[in-house]
Every structure is written in structure tokens, then in C-alpha cells.
Amino acid sequence: MKQQATQMMWFYNPGQSQWRVSDHASNQLWQGEGAHPWSDNLDPADEVGFAEFLSRLQQGDKPGQFIGHLQGEDGQAHHFLWCGQYLPEQALCCGWVSPIEVNDLSFLPAQANDRRSPLRVQDPLLAQLAQALSAKTGLEFFNTLVDELALILNADTVWLAERGDAASLRVLASHGVDLDHYLLAGMPCQTLYEKGQACTLVLEAPVSGHPWLAPGLTYHGHPLCDRHGQTLGHLALLFSGSVALPDLAAVLTIFSVRMVAELERLQSEAQLRLSAVAFETHEGIIITDPDYKVLRVNHAFSQITGFSSQAVLGKRLSSDLWPSEGGLGYELDHLSRWQGETMRRHARGHSYPQWEIVTPVQDDKGRISHFVICFEDISERKAAERRIQDLAYYDELTGLPNRRQLHETLAQTFMAASRDHLVGALLFIDLDHFKTINDSLGHAAGDWLLKEVAARLKRLVRQGDCLARLGGDEFVLLLPSLSSSPPQAEMQADLIAERLIGEIAAPYRQGGQVLHIGASVGITLFPGRDQGVDDLLKQADTAMYQAKSAGRKTRRFFDAAMQHQADRRLLIHNELRSALTGGELMLHYQPQHLVEGGDLIGVEALIRWQPPGRALVSPAEFIPIAEETDLIVDIGNWVLHEACSQYVSWEENGIHIPQLSVNVSAKQFHAHDFVECIHDVLAQTGMDPACLNLEITESVVLGHAEDTISKMTELKQLGISFAIDDFGAGYSSLSYLKRLPADELKIDRSFIQDIPRDGDNMAIVEAVIAMARHMGFNVTAEGVESRQQLEFLRAQGCHFYQGYLASKPLPVPYLERYVKRMAGKFETRNSIAAEL
């Protein structure tokens, strides 16, 4: 007897009297005539038994079997085995049917189907084994099988193994031996897998590593083959003597149909468990039939789309689930495999982007049986891409285009203007005194102000203009295609700049305070002769600096002279760094005198720059450039150390000067190590702190009042004195002034130079001296150049003065001679006074 390779699954719905059959290649509803799919071929004598078989299945919860006859194409009746079970939860009977060919029927029981036996066998073996296995399935079926075979056949050892790979076997059930897995090589079953046939043999030699396979034992191996003839595993039995049942192979063949089915079911369940784990992934999965109807979806599908998994079953993708004018975006029946981005409709009605991968599944005949669609919502990814795009091309604070976006737009606009012979303008906008607000009120207030400025500027922007923020308090307005006439374009740009400055200058109300700010604007027209797109920002920036130099809150157009000045500034900036280390900087000293009597009371150290082979560079030219960078800190520290060293040298050489004044910049003063630097200079030079006077401007105090007062107080404890330089020329706050531990006010030269011609300046100087007297400050007047100015200062009670009337700043040798001459003059005067 041998088993045929064909096996068919069947499903029966008693409530609807509906059958479905599957041959492993297809699964389709049976729509033929008759009571069941085998009505035309089943032996009429078997109809009653088949009906009772179905009835027993529906009435019980255990598996059942039926053996009947089907008429073949050759006109002969062939034996078939129906196995089945009723599933109450689904109200469905299911099972399989397999053909059996029998050569020797002597071993089958007489009443296998409770009606008549077509096999005519009296041996109760099959009945006993079938009864023991009838309600078993899965691993329980295999455990019962090996135990019952060992009992019925009096076998010493029985096991059933599944082939894992080409080299190893996994034991699913065993009796008489504790076995989990083993290698195929060298085992008795190796021949069975090579030939695909049952074998019986007597072991002649021990098997290495398996002492239970002893010589003299009889081994019987039975292959378990699927419908394709592939060996899935085998059943093995060991006997102490010969095999008890001569037709053992025939008996096992009958049950091998069931064994193969259970083995395939175990493998299918394992695959299903793996598939279930893979199916329930974070990606959405849809399985459709060839007509694009949804058969199954996973949990992630509902999470992504918002549709209920049960509600979409049976619905079409293109017409019910994702309807759109363009369909799905691909033709499913023409696919090999497709992936791409699509826009899909959410259950709530909105659209969202998703990434889809569509894979067709083919049956054994090469026809498409299913489509598997894997997808994920890429809304967050797209939003992140847009965010990255915004960060790359737009300012995060104001939402305006940034420098990168401006450069791209500027290049396109410049090319268009050149092509169309139209004139455009670029406006470079820099806020006046923004740093003061940012430092005094904090960065949050500064950010708020920048957003307010951006909002105001947006209201002035025409369609087609480009307003950008370069960073900090710098904005740029690009005005393309103003006119074909340069004079008209210049006039329009000037009017827009004027409106822009006025708009920015309007008060800003934040909370309970009102803020004021101005703007300086530089303008350049384009395209021009010998002008490239890379020159525009540089030219507008240069013009903006000229607007600031002109008093701020105004605008300036770029011209060639400005570029010359800008190039000069860049040259100075680059050369100044090497000047400090190359010994090109030097100090001159300007004498300071008593207004009453003219005695020398001190000198002020003033820096000079002498490049090799060139004229002196004015401090008014290079100091502002140094202040724009941290280089002013290094220069300031060098001046302090050089001046103190020189002063100590004078003292050691008998040249006595009562006091040395040194200017300190705001950046230098607020450096974190400024106080430590003063201590180091005093220690290294031996300078007497009581003879050192540090001059600071009012800008040192702005935004840093507490830090300023703290450092001044600490240094005054050493004996150092302080003077407020350029008093009246900047932002004067009497509330700060009365708190500062300063000793002296220095009236700015701008108030002195027009005395006695300017009555207003005379009134200011008079007021400052009077105020200083009441507050306990000494007063020094700078820039005194005439006797009339000195007499006026004497009349107002000013204490000290310096200026060209006494002496201009002098190099060290000239100052030494000046001091000696002044000392001799006063000695002569004192001797004459003594004689009188």
C-alpha cells in the first residue's frame, strides 16, 4: 500500500449548507450540484455513512474519520480517507481528504465506518489506534501516536522526527528515549531521506553518540512526505527482535496521511506565529485579493488610517478606502513591485502623506492571488523635512528669509535686472543702540523687539520685494525692478528708506514701559558698471556704516569713496593685530596742570601707532576698529602695563610726576579678569596704586552698573583713583553718577573748543563744574587751547586742565624734558617768591 501525494482541505458551513475546498493552490467556494463536492463520484452505498460522519462532527467536539470510495477517471473505485472536526466558535466543519491505495486488506477492521468496511480487515490494530488518536491533534497527537505504537506493537523505542535542515532532525515526540535533536549523518534514517522510502534493517554496529541504538535491534523507519513528494520527517521504531507486524509499512501508510497533515499544521502554525509577529509591526499592512478587495489588515493599519479593521474588510482600495481622481497612483495588476510616496485620506477626512510598498503574490500557476501593501505615515518625517528647510532658508526668530535664502534670491534678481535693463536697490538696515536695550533689559526683550521690527518692516514690503534678517539686529530689503531710470530708482529707494526709518523709530510699548530705537540704512543700486552680485551686500553694508557715522537714524547711498574708506578700515583691522606683537605701538603722554597756578599734576597716557616707513595712524582711526573686536582688550592691557613701567622708570630716574592717567575701554573693564590684571600689573611693574588714575567713559556703566561699582570699589581700596572721561558727550545718568566711587569728571573737549564764542557750551560747562563741586568731584577740562578758555575755567572754579595751550601729547624723551623744564620754572618761581 502506498500514499498518494494529493491531499485536499474542505470546509463545510451547516447553517448555509455551503462547502469550500482547497487543493493548497487555490481556495474557492464549491458551487456545483449535489449535497457535497463528491456527490458525483462518491459510491451511493457510502452516502449514508458520509452524512452520519458529518452529523457526528457537528454533534461532538472531537475529530472524526470516514473511509469511503470515489469513482476515478479509470472507472475504478478508489479508497479515500476523510478526517474532520467541528469548530463551534465559527459554526464550521473542516478537515482534509486523502486517497488510499490498498494491496493487502487483511489488516483493517471489519467496521471502520460503523456501517461497512471496504477493506475487510479483522485485526483490531487500526481500530485501536484510530480510537486513541481520534480526539488528538498537534503535539498531543504525536505523543499519543508514539506511546500507542509502542504499546500495540511492543516496540522498545518509538520517535517521530521533523527535518530541520539538510543536516539535522528535530524530535517532536518520543517513547523509550529522551531525545531532542540529532544529526542525520551516520543515523539509520539517513538512507530513508536519500531514497524517500520506508526501510527495515537490523543494526549491525553501534552508532556513535547514541548508545540506545545498540547492535542487534531491528530498526523500522517510515518517511512522511507532503503532496510534492518532499520528505518532511519520519517515524522510527526499534524492536528487540523482529518486527511484530509483517505489514507494518502498510499500517503506517494509512496513518501517515494524518501524520503529514498534523506535521504540516504544526509547521503552518509556527509560520503563522512568526507571520503574526511580523504582521503586527509598526507599519500598516493590507492584504487584498486580485480584485483589490481587502482581506486582512493589521492593528497598525487602524492606528495610521483611523479606519476600523473590521469595517474595511471586503471593501475596495480605490473606490471605498482611498478614493481619488487619480486612483491609487499605480496599476496593481501590472506591478512587479512598487514603492513610493502617496497622499491618502484619513478616516477623519484629512489627507496625509504615506510611503507605500506594494508586492504582488503569485500562485503556483504564476497568477496574482494577493497583493500585500506595507505603508507608514510619513507626516512627521515630512514636517521634519519642512522644518529643516525652514531652518536652512528662514530665520527662526522672525520667520524672515535668512542670509542663505537672500543670496539665492539676490543672484536671481541681479540676473533678471541685467537682462531686462531695470534698476533695483538693496537696503542694509542696522538698528541703532540695539545692544544697549539687549544688555539692559535682557535677551528676551531684545528678541521681542526684533520681532516687532520685522512685523513693521513686513508692512512696508511690496509684492516681489524680499525682506531678510542676516542675524543680530541686521535686516536687508531687496527692491527689484524699481525703474529703468537710475535717478528714478534712487528716488524711490530713498523714499522707501525714509519711510522705513520712520516706521522703526515709532515707540514700542512692552508691558509698562516704552522703548525707542532708530535705524541706519545703507543703499546700493544695481546693476552697475564693474559690479557683481557678490558686491551688493558689501556695498550696502559700507553705506550703512557711513549712515551711522553721519549721526545714525539716517540713510546713505553707496559711492566709490565709501568703498575706499571700507577698504582702509579692513586694512587697518588686519594690520593692527601684527602691530601689537610687532612693537609698532607706542605711548605719548599729555601733561595735566592746575588751572590755578599751572603746576603739573599728572600725565595722560595716549596710544600711537607708527607703521614701518609710514606716517602715524591716528587713534581716532584705529581705536574704533579695535573696539569692534576683542583686540581692544589686548591693546588696553598693553597700554596699562607699558605706562606703569614707564612711570616707575621715571620715578627711579628722579623724574617725579604726581599722577599717571590711563584710559580703560568698556570691553577691557568688563573682562572677567580685569581686576586680576590690575593686580598683576602693579606687582610686575612696582607701580604705586596711589599714583594711578583710571579713566572710564559713561558707556562702561550702561547695562553693567553693579559690576562697574563693584570693580571700582575693590580697586579704590588699593588706592587707585577714577575719572569719568568725556563727561557730557554720552548718556549721562545722575542716578548712576552719584553711586559711582569716582574722584574726577573730565569735561569733553567738544564743550570747551567753542568757548567763548558759544554761550550754550559755556552754560553747560558752568553747570557741570557747579554740580561736580556739590557732589565732591574734581573737574578736568580737556582740549584747552586758548587763554580765554583757561580764564573762563578759572572763573568757574575748574581744578585741572589739559590741552594744546600747555602741551600736545609728547613722546617719552620730550615729556621728560618738559617735566624738567616745568620743575626748573617752578623752582625759579618759588625762589623768587621766597626772596620777596
Side-chain angles (χ1 to χ4, degrees):
M1 180 176 73
K2 71 174 184 176
Q3 175 189 347
Q4 300 291 327
T6 303
Q7 183 175 359
M8 178 178 290
M9 299 292 297
W10 56 265
F11 303 88
Y12 174 56
N13 187 332
Q16 300 178 2
S17 298
Q18 189 178 78
W19 289 84
R20 181 180 291 273
V21 292
S22 171
D23 61 357
H24 293 274
S26 64
N27 186 341
Q28 55 190 355
L29 190 67
W30 179 73
Q31 298 177 337
E33 298 180 357
H36 52 76
W38 305 280
S39 298
D40 295 341
N41 303 93
L42 186 65
D43 188 333
D46 293 328
E47 285 287 358
V48 175
F50 186 76
E52 292 177 353
F53 163 66
L54 293 178
S55 177
R56 287 197 305 273
L57 292 182
Q58 298 174 50
Q59 295 172 2
D61 58 353
K62 296 181 179 179
Q65 298 179 354
F66 171 76
I67 299 176
H69 306 80
L70 292 178
Q71 189 78 20
E73 295 179 356
D74 55 1
Q76 299 294 321
H78 297 271
H79 299 80
F80 279 80
L81 174 68
W82 280 263
C83 297
Q85 185 172 6
Y86 182 69
L87 306 176
E89 294 180 357
Q90 301 180 24
L92 189 72
C93 293
C94 67
W96 58 88
V97 56
S98 297
I100 304 174
E101 289 188 8
V102 181
N103 297 325
D104 184 359
L105 307 179
S106 61
F107 58 87
L108 289 177
Q111 302 297 327
N113 287 328
D114 298 329
R115 183 173 177 272
R116 70 176 183 81
S117 171
L119 302 182
R120 312 293 183 187
V121 183
Q122 302 301 323
D123 197 310
L125 169 62
L126 290 179
Q128 180 179 348
L129 192 56
Q131 182 179 1
L133 298 175
S134 62
K136 310 300 183 194
T137 186
L139 289 177
E140 186 180 10
F141 168 84
F142 291 125
N143 287 323
T144 303
L145 174 69
V146 298
D147 290 341
E148 289 296 325
L149 286 175
L151 178 64
I152 294 172
L153 301 177
N154 196 26
D156 296 333
T157 307
V158 183
W159 71 93
L160 189 141
E162 174 189 29
R163 190 166 191 175
D165 53 41
S168 62
L169 296 167
R170 184 170 70 98
V171 177
L172 298 180
S174 62
H175 178 94
V177 63
D178 186 11
L179 194 59
D180 183 51
H181 63 276
Y182 59 88
L183 296 177
L184 182 60
M187 295 295 285
C189 58
Q190 185 173 0
T191 302
L192 180 150
Y193 282 93
E194 292 173 351
K195 298 182 178 181
Q197 298 177 353
C199 65
T200 302
L201 54 90
V202 178
L203 301 180
E204 298 179 353
V207 179
S208 176
H210 302 284
W212 47 279
L213 294 172
L217 295 178
T218 300
Y219 171 87
H220 179 83
H222 191 88
L224 302 176
C225 302
D226 64 10
R227 65 184 186 278
H228 302 296
Q230 298 294 321
T231 304
L232 303 180
H234 74 284
L235 177 70
L237 302 94
L238 281 179
F239 299 92
S240 298
S242 60
V243 178
L245 187 64
D247 297 317
L248 178 60
V251 174
L252 295 182
T253 297
I254 294 178
F255 285 95
S256 65
V257 175
R258 177 76 184 279
M259 284 187 279
V260 169
E262 292 293 341
L263 189 58
E264 287 182 331
R265 190 170 75 163
L266 282 179
Q267 293 176 343
S268 297
E269 288 176 352
Q271 291 295 328
L272 285 174
R273 285 192 295 271
L274 291 176
S275 299
V277 173
F279 196 68
E280 293 304 332
T281 178
H282 70 282
E283 292 184 336
I285 298 177
I286 305 173
I287 298 177
T288 75
D289 65 8
D291 296 326
Y292 322 141
K293 288 183 179 179
V294 178
L295 299 179
R296 187 179 177 188
V297 297
N298 67 349
H299 182 63
F301 164 86
S302 299
Q303 290 182 320
I304 295 174
T305 68
F307 290 102
S308 166
S309 58
Q310 293 299 319
V312 300
L313 297 182
K315 294 186 178 298
R316 286 182 177 271
L317 281 182
S318 58
S319 58
D320 300 325
L321 184 58
W322 290 326
S324 64
E325 294 182 359
L328 292 174
Y330 42 77
E331 291 294 332
L332 293 182
D333 52 351
H334 293 95
L335 281 177
S336 56
R337 189 172 186 269
W338 183 89
Q339 62 178 342
E341 181 181 331
T342 59
M343 291 298 297
R344 297 306 185 199
R345 180 175 62 87
H346 193 271
R348 297 178 181 175
H350 65 271
S351 297
Y352 67 95
Q354 70 182 25
W355 186 264
E356 293 181 16
I357 302 176
V358 185
T359 305
V361 180
Q362 296 181 343
D363 59 19
D364 292 342
K365 299 179 181 179
R367 297 172 301 188
I368 294 179
S369 61
H370 300 85
F371 288 102
V372 178
I373 304 174
C374 301
F375 64 94
E376 59 178 326
D377 184 351
I378 58 174
S379 299
E380 292 186 2
R381 184 196 307 170
K382 299 289 287 185
E385 291 175 356
R386 288 192 297 269
R387 177 65 173 162
I388 293 173
Q389 181 79 359
D390 289 344
L391 291 176
Y393 287 96
Y394 293 90
D395 174 54
E396 187 173 9
L397 179 65
T398 63
L400 296 176
N402 60 11
R403 183 184 295 271
R404 182 177 180 179
Q405 175 79 331
L406 175 66
H407 275 290
E408 294 185 6
T409 305
L410 190 56
Q412 298 170 3
T413 304
F414 187 86
M415 291 178 62
S418 301
R419 182 188 63 240
D420 300 334
H421 304 289
L422 294 173
V423 180
L426 186 71
L427 281 62
F428 199 110
I429 308 158
D430 188 271
L431 303 183
D432 298 331
H433 303 301
F434 173 75
K435 188 176 185 300
T436 300
I437 292 178
N438 211 31
D439 291 345
S440 58
L441 299 181
H443 290 286
D447 289 347
W448 176 86
L449 185 60
L450 288 173
K451 288 190 285 187
E452 288 295 307
V453 169
R456 293 186 182 187
L457 292 177
K458 286 178 184 178
R459 294 198 291 265
L460 299 178
V461 174
R462 310 168 305 164
Q463 185 174 2
D465 294 346
C466 177
L467 175 65
R469 181 186 176 219
L470 297 187
D473 59 345
E474 295 179 339
F475 297 85
V476 168
L477 178 58
L478 175 62
L479 305 173
S481 308
L482 288 176
S483 174
S484 59
S485 169
Q488 291 183 1
E490 181 176 343
M491 182 178 65
Q492 291 186 48
D494 190 56
L495 288 174
I496 293 174
E498 185 178 11
R499 290 179 54 198
L500 183 152
I501 292 172
E503 187 74 19
I504 293 176
Y508 299 82
R509 302 185 182 278
Q510 185 193 35
Q513 60 184 336
V514 179
L515 304 179
H516 295 273
I517 199 166
S520 299
V521 180
I523 310 170
T524 186
L525 301 180
F526 65 88
R529 188 174 61 182
D530 299 329
Q531 183 188 51
V533 66
D534 295 333
D535 299 322
L536 298 184
L537 272 177
K538 182 172 65 173
Q539 292 175 356
D541 187 25
T542 299
M544 182 272 296
Y545 271 105
Q546 289 298 317
K548 284 191 176 294
S549 300
R552 303 177 188 270
K553 205 174 181 181
T554 187
R555 69 269 188 200
R556 287 290 185 271
F557 280 85
F558 173 80
D559 59 35
M562 292 181 183
Q563 188 61 54
H564 176 74
Q565 291 182 358
D567 294 342
R568 171 72 174 170
R569 288 172 59 86
L570 180 61
L571 176 65
I572 290 175
H573 179 270
N574 293 335
E575 291 185 345
L576 192 55
R577 293 187 176 275
S578 59
L580 179 61
T581 57
E584 298 177 17
L585 300 181
M586 64 182 68
L587 295 181
H588 287 190
Y589 298 87
Q590 185 170 37
Q592 299 170 323
H593 294 269
L594 282 172
V595 171
E596 192 66 46
D599 290 357
L600 180 69
I601 56 92
V603 294
E604 180 182 1
L606 299 169
I607 191 169
R608 296 293 184 267
W609 179 12
Q610 177 65 73
R614 287 157 51 188
L616 281 171
V617 181
S618 170
E621 190 174 10
F622 72 82
I623 289 299
I625 296 175
E627 287 180 340
E628 293 175 4
T629 66
D630 290 337
L631 193 59
I632 191 65
V633 176
D634 296 332
I635 292 176
N637 290 337
W638 176 85
V639 170
L640 186 63
H641 191 280
E642 183 70 15
C644 290
S645 297
Q646 183 61 60
Y647 186 87
V648 172
S649 176
W650 283 332
E651 287 292 318
E652 292 174 349
N653 290 291
I655 301 174
H656 178 66
I657 300 173
Q659 189 180 62
L660 171 68
S661 294
V662 180
N663 291 282
V664 176
S665 71
K667 282 190 176 180
Q668 180 185 4
F669 186 90
H670 290 298
H672 69 280
D673 60 345
F674 175 69
V675 174
E676 289 79 1
C677 181
I678 296 295
H679 280 279
D680 291 342
V681 168
L682 296 177
Q684 293 170 11
T685 63
M687 178 72 185
D688 182 1
C691 298
L692 179 60
N693 179 53
L694 300 181
E695 297 187 6
I696 60 175
T697 62
E698 295 166 289
S699 62
V700 172
V701 185
L702 294 180
H704 305 279
E706 299 305 323
D707 180 60
T708 303
I709 294 171
S710 173
K711 288 181 177 178
M712 289 177 66
T713 301
E714 183 175 352
L715 293 176
K716 278 188 69 67
Q717 292 175 356
L718 300 177
I720 296 174
S721 59
F722 283 91
I724 306 300
D725 197 14
D726 300 333
F727 185 78
Y731 178 80
S732 300
S733 172
L734 298 182
S735 62
Y736 285 150
L737 185 61
K738 70 180 182 180
R739 295 176 59 197
L740 292 178
D743 305 278
E744 178 184 345
L745 297 182
K746 298 188 71 173
I747 302 176
D748 188 68
R749 67 181 65 249
S750 62
F751 297 108
I752 304 297
Q753 62 187 6
D754 289 332
I755 295 175
R757 296 185 303 275
D758 191 325
D760 291 338
N761 282 347
M762 294 173 69
I764 292 174
V765 171
E766 182 179 355
V768 170
I769 294 174
M771 179 194 68
R773 184 185 307 113
H774 287 292
M775 297 182 70
F777 292 112
N778 291 324
V779 180
T780 297
E782 296 182 296
V784 178
E785 298 180 356
S786 68
R787 289 288 178 182
Q788 293 91 333
Q789 293 169 353
L790 184 60
E791 289 301 326
F792 173 77
L793 294 172
R794 182 181 292 113
Q796 301 306 317
C798 181
H799 302 96
F800 316 120
Y801 78 96
Q802 65 185 80
Y804 279 23
L805 178 61
S807 173
K808 65 179 181 180
L810 300 171
V812 171
Y814 289 91
L815 180 74
E816 292 174 351
R817 276 183 264 172
Y818 181 87
V819 173
K820 290 177 181 178
R821 187 172 66 250
M822 290 297 298
K825 182 186 298 185
F826 282 102
E827 287 179 3
T828 302
R829 190 183 68 180
N830 291 338
S831 63
I832 293 174
E835 292 176 359
L836 295 176

